[in-house]
Amino acid sequence: MKTRALILAAGKGVRMRSDMPKVLHSILGRPLVWYVADAARQATGMQPVVVVGYGADQVRQALGDAVDYTIQRQQLGTGHAVLQAEELLRSQADQVLVVLGDMPLLTAESLQKIVDQQSRHQGALTMLTIVQSEARGFGRIVRDAAGHIQSIVEEVQASPEQLKITELNPSVYCFNGAWLWDALRRVPLSPKGEYYLTDLVGIAVKDGLSIQTVAAEDMNEAIGVNTRIHLAEATALMRQRINNAWMLAGVTMVDPQTTYIEPGVRLGQNCVIWPNTYLQGDTIVGEQTTLGPNTIVRSARIGSRCEIIAALVEQAVVEDEVSVGPFARLRKGAHLGRGVHMGNFGEVKNSYLGPGTKMGHFSYIGDAEVGENTNIGAGTITCNFDGKQKNKTEIGKDVFLGSDTLLVAPVRLGEGAQTGAGSVVTHDVPARTLVVGVPAREWRKLGENG
Ligand code: UD1
Ligand code: CA
């Protein structure tokens, strides 16, 4: 039985008060609709189809080719939106799972249950239901005396009696594909001038077909984002869900309330995360690493047994047993070898620091290659930009840079070279040579032990 998911995302989302389509507002670094698409893909095992309309190009750009698209040029209602996928899906799916693009908290497990229920019963449709006293504008599920579903009534059209119904329609359905497309043609125009998908329920009843329901276990799953207040609520719940999963997987969080982990992040066992820490993008962290407090990691690879405190780490690679911070910044292309110590007020960009190298205080290393076990003295700076272009600095292993050394690139320092405090190095320094002064000159050759 082949099930395809259809995600409705053609509306503007007027209450967001934004030019950006509602489904592109983000939760933990990803657009709302990404979460829906991800859950739908997991539940069906197939690429979902997204109905786009308002801001179609932006939605396409955000989701790329991970989904298929169909366009709804005029927003004539949810029923009309589904009909736009007929050409794409009629011959391609035995069942169609319809979800709204603004429900990021729906889980793949719940969607799976609905799909399975529909596969077993083969009625007209299976739908998710919630029971909740706060109606939030949801359609009411109307049942007859025997408890059989009769119809869904939209809030604007509900009678005072119907408004009291607490069984609500979150708008998640799995339809029998053979029935769906022709039934959609029988949906009447509503007084609001829209074709309501919800009218299919009444039509199924008239056709004498069965309607199955699956009750939501977690009410939060049904939260639809209509305003920025809902967006903040959904963000908090998603954060909690992600954090709980990591804690169950063996990560300690000192304060989950102030720990922000995006869905693309991977963490090893026994990591400890201190408060006010943001792990973003496709960051990967090894085991037993301590992050934070006050640390932001964006799309970086961090090894095992590292300690990173009060740092901003972006698109960098940090190998095992490295310590960074407090107040450190690793920029794009920074690569710290095993056991590197990078202390306070340091910045590294597009540079490799070999294993065991120490950079304790107040340094900038940019566009450089540094060998192992080199000591980068306090205040060392690679002067990598000559006003026109970036130039490279190469520093060998076992080099000792005195405090306040300025390395005017392009420049190379051989293995075991040393610089005196305050040196301004403008020429290459041969191996095992001490240079001092401004500009730095050879002072003496060094023996085996300096
Ligand atoms: C819909 C349901 C309601 C349910 C609620 C849950 C209908 C008629 N009503 O109401 O029973 O309780 O969802 O949130 O279906 N969309 C399109 N094209 C359109 C119209 C809508 O793509 O022409 C998309 C929107 O982008 C939105 C979603 O469908 O993401 C829901 O549309 P909306 O108009 O907000 O429906 P509700 O009034 O919330
Ligand atoms: Ca809505």
Side-chain angles (χ1 to χ4, degrees):
M1 180 90 49
K2 203 151 116 186
T3 307
R4 293 286 304 262
L6 184 62
I7 300 170
L8 307 192
K12 179 176 188 205
V14 180
R15 282 176 289 166
M16 294 300 278
R17 296 189 174 271
S18 171
D19 290 337
M20 184 163 73
K22 174 166 79 176
V23 294
L24 292 190
H25 284 264
S26 103
I27 287 184
L28 293 168
R30 312 258 171 144
L32 287 177
V33 67
W34 178 87
Y35 291 90
V36 184
D38 191 49
R41 187 179 311 105
Q42 286 180 51
T44 59
M46 296 194 74
Q47 185 145 315
V49 177
V50 179
V51 183
V52 291
Y54 179 81
D57 289 343
Q58 285 168 272
V59 178
R60 279 201 171 99
Q61 207 161 29
L63 292 176
D65 53 16
V67 301
D68 294 324
Y69 300 92
T70 182
I71 191 141
Q72 184 193 25
R73 292 189 197 283
Q74 254 187 309
Q75 277 70 69
L76 298 178
T78 47
H80 180 260
V82 172
L83 200 52
Q84 306 314 303
E86 180 178 10
E87 210 178 309
L88 211 70
L89 295 182
R90 189 186 253 278
S91 59
Q92 280 223 21
D94 307 307
Q95 303 190 144
V96 181
L97 175 68
V98 176
V99 288
L100 305 185
D102 64 359
M103 293 175 68
L105 293 158
L106 277 174
T107 60
E109 293 74 45
S110 294
L111 296 182
Q112 186 77 63
K113 266 192 216 163
I114 296 163
V115 170
D116 290 348
Q117 177 90 348
Q118 178 59 25
S119 312
R120 268 196 305 275
H121 291 272
Q122 310 249 328
L125 68 133
T126 301
M127 58 181 285
L128 188 69
T129 64
I130 48 166
V131 175
Q132 146 177 311
S133 52
E134 197 197 343
R136 290 179 85 113
F138 281 13
R140 311 298 202 271
I141 297 176
V142 181
R143 291 182 186 260
D144 66 12
H148 296 123
I149 292 191
Q150 292 304 296
S151 61
I152 296 171
V153 182
E154 290 308 298
E155 187 167 87
V156 283
Q157 277 150 247
S159 67
E161 272 313 301
Q162 288 171 331
L163 284 176
K164 290 187 201 140
I165 297 172
T166 55
E167 190 182 17
L168 311 171
N169 169 35
S171 249
V172 184
Y173 324 83
C174 187
F175 293 102
N176 177 326
W179 176 78
L180 173 66
W181 309 111
D182 299 307
L184 275 173
R185 297 224 155 67
R186 290 188 269 145
V187 169
L189 198 62
S190 78
K192 234 179 102 188
E194 290 188 4
Y195 296 94
Y196 289 161
L197 184 62
T198 43
D199 283 350
L200 286 181
V201 170
I203 292 173
V205 171
K206 276 199 207 103
D207 288 352
L209 297 170
S210 91
I211 296 165
Q212 300 288 317
T213 57
V214 169
E217 274 167 31
D218 175 3
M219 301 300 158
N220 290 330
E221 279 199 51
I223 287 184
V225 173
N226 295 313
T227 67
R228 299 204 199 216
I229 294 174
H230 298 158
L231 184 68
E233 286 170 3
T235 301
L237 289 163
M238 184 59 75
R239 181 158 53 84
Q240 200 173 52
R241 189 185 280 175
I242 292 173
N243 288 356
N244 286 349
W246 284 119
M247 287 189 278
L248 290 173
V251 171
T252 294
M253 281 177 206
V254 175
D255 181 17
Q257 299 294 330
T258 57
T259 300
Y260 304 80
I261 303 179
E262 293 186 357
V265 173
R266 295 290 165 264
L267 299 168
Q269 261 184 1
N270 290 313
C271 282
V272 177
I273 305 183
W274 287 84
N276 216 20
T277 291
Y278 302 75
L279 307 180
Q280 306 176 327
D282 51 4
T283 290
I284 301 175
V285 183
E287 299 185 348
Q288 294 175 56
T289 282
T290 297
L291 300 170
N294 303 325
T295 291
I296 302 170
V297 183
R298 295 189 177 132
S299 296
R301 290 235 320 274
I302 298 185
S304 295
R305 300 173 301 284
C306 294
E307 190 174 7
I308 301 187
I309 302 175
L312 171 58
V313 179
E314 291 178 283
Q315 296 177 66
V317 175
V318 174
E319 293 186 20
D320 297 346
E321 282 148 25
V322 167
S323 69
V324 174
F327 314 114
R329 181 165 184 210
L330 290 176
R331 290 166 55 200
K332 190 175 176 182
H335 181 170
L336 307 187
R338 187 188 191 100
V340 163
H341 168 65
M342 177 183 171
N344 41 255
F345 306 105
E347 174 179 338
V348 176
K349 183 214 77 175
N350 187 33
S351 297
Y352 172 69
L353 270 57
T357 281
K358 296 194 165 40
M359 169 180 162
H361 337 262
F362 313 103
S363 287
Y364 171 59
I365 301 294
D367 304 304
E369 189 89 26
V370 182
E372 62 196 79
N373 295 317
T374 278
N375 185 85
I376 299 171
T380 295
I381 285 170
T382 52
C383 309
N384 58 328
F385 186 52
D386 57 16
K388 291 196 196 75
Q389 62 177 39
K390 299 288 168 62
N391 299 296
K392 199 159 181 194
T393 301
E394 285 171 64
I395 303 172
K397 63 175 183 175
D398 301 317
V399 168
F400 181 94
L401 300 171
S403 295
D404 238 339
T405 294
L406 302 185
L407 300 160
V408 183
V411 70
R412 298 164 95 142
L413 287 80
E415 190 179 319
Q418 297 189 3
T419 65
S423 301
V424 177
V425 182
T426 54
H427 290 101
D428 291 357
V429 179
R432 279 171 291 282
T433 302
L434 168 64
V435 296
V436 299
V438 181
R441 290 186 197 84
E442 181 172 328
W443 184 250
R444 66 184 174 88
K445 291 287 180 202
L446 298 162
E448 278 303 304
N449 303 309

